[in-house]
Amino acid sequence: MKSIIKLMVVFVCVVSLVACGKKDTTVSANRDGVLYEAGVGVSFYYPSDFKLSEGNPNDGVTRFTKENQILFYKVEENEYDNDTDQLSELYKGELEASEVSSLKVKRPALESGLKCYEYKGSYVKTGLKFIHLVYFDDKNTYVYGYDFRKNLKKMIVYLESFTKSSGL
């Protein structure tokens, strides 16, 4: 009986030592990321282990990649003179037309105060999941998105760093 108690005490001590040595997994965008200033008052952070990808300069999309993960930023000129709620529905319709499943839309409270929409879902053809933070103004639609296979919870910290100085 005494040997079992001693063994349990040693086991608890070993588990405590291992648990104390565990790394902190809290992510801070401004500590662990790289600030990207896209101009016109738009800025955001992306993870420092992602690389700026040289894509098609004519498509207007800035991409940051790591393995099968893609963070991207793009600005699209609004073709319609609708208000932001209607533009949100139009964007949702565009996503649905591109064959996505499990599409969810919400209005996150960003630390920057930017009032935007969050679209989550997955592309049927590729199986990739996505999260898009989208801000609409009178002239443009600003999209900061993340396409991935496995959801890395730390990525939402980077997406939520999205800010536009005139969009508050």
Side-chain angles (χ1 to χ4, degrees), residues 78-92:
N78 293 338
E79 298 174 15
Y80 312 102
D81 60 352
N82 303 58
D83 66 21
T84 56
D85 288 334
Q86 293 168 331
L87 289 171
S88 172
E89 285 300 314
L90 288 170
Y91 188 81
K92 181 181 176 186

Side-chain angles (χ1 to χ4, degrees), residues 8-21:
M8 291 300 285
V9 169
V10 169
F11 178 74
V12 169
C13 289
V14 169
V15 169
S16 296
L17 285 173
V18 170
C20 289

Side-chain angles (χ1 to χ4, degrees), residues 1-155:
M1 185 70 174
K2 287 183 181 182
S3 64
I4 292 175
I5 292 173
K6 288 179 183 178
L7 183 60
M8 291 300 285
V9 169
V10 169
F11 178 74
V12 169
C13 289
V14 169
V15 169
S16 296
L17 285 173
V18 170
C20 289
K22 186 177 179 185
K23 280 187 165 181
D24 181 16
T25 57
T26 303
V27 174
S28 170
N30 57 359
R31 182 188 71 216
D32 302 322
V34 176
L35 178 64
Y36 185 82
E37 295 180 296
V40 295
V42 175
S43 65
F44 53 85
Y45 285 88
Y46 66 93
S48 59
D49 56 346
F50 276 57
K51 302 292 180 228
L52 180 60
S53 174
E54 297 297 327
N56 181 352
N58 298 325
D59 70 0
V61 180
T62 303
R63 292 176 182 82
F64 307 90
T65 60
K66 178 185 173 192
E67 297 164 1
N68 61 353
Q69 302 172 71
I70 302 168
L71 274 167
F72 66 91
Y73 168 74
K74 67 180 177 177
V75 179
E76 298 173 343
E77 189 174 331
N78 293 338
E79 298 174 15
Y80 312 102
D81 60 352
N82 303 58
D83 66 21
T84 56
D85 288 334
Q86 293 168 331
L87 289 171
S88 172
E89 285 300 314
L90 288 170
Y91 188 81
K92 181 181 176 186
E94 288 175 14
L95 287 173
E96 289 170 339
S98 64
E99 297 185 39
V100 299
S101 65
S102 307
L103 184 60
K104 294 181 180 139
V105 182
K106 69 178 188 177
R107 298 282 309 257
L110 300 186
E111 193 174 306
S112 68
L114 186 69
K115 293 172 179 29
C116 66
Y117 293 82
E118 177 183 282
Y119 300 83
K120 272 185 176 179
S122 59
Y123 300 107
V124 174
K125 288 183 180 178
T126 63
L128 285 175
K129 298 175 187 174
F130 66 85
I131 301 173
H132 295 177
L133 286 186
V134 183
Y135 171 73
F136 304 98
D137 70 12
D138 295 336
K139 297 180 181 178
N140 297 304
T141 297
Y142 303 84
V143 182
Y144 184 32
Y146 175 50
D147 296 342
F148 58 96
R149 292 225 181 267
K150 292 182 183 177
N151 186 3
L152 299 177
K153 294 185 189 245
K154 72 176 188 175
M155 294 307 290

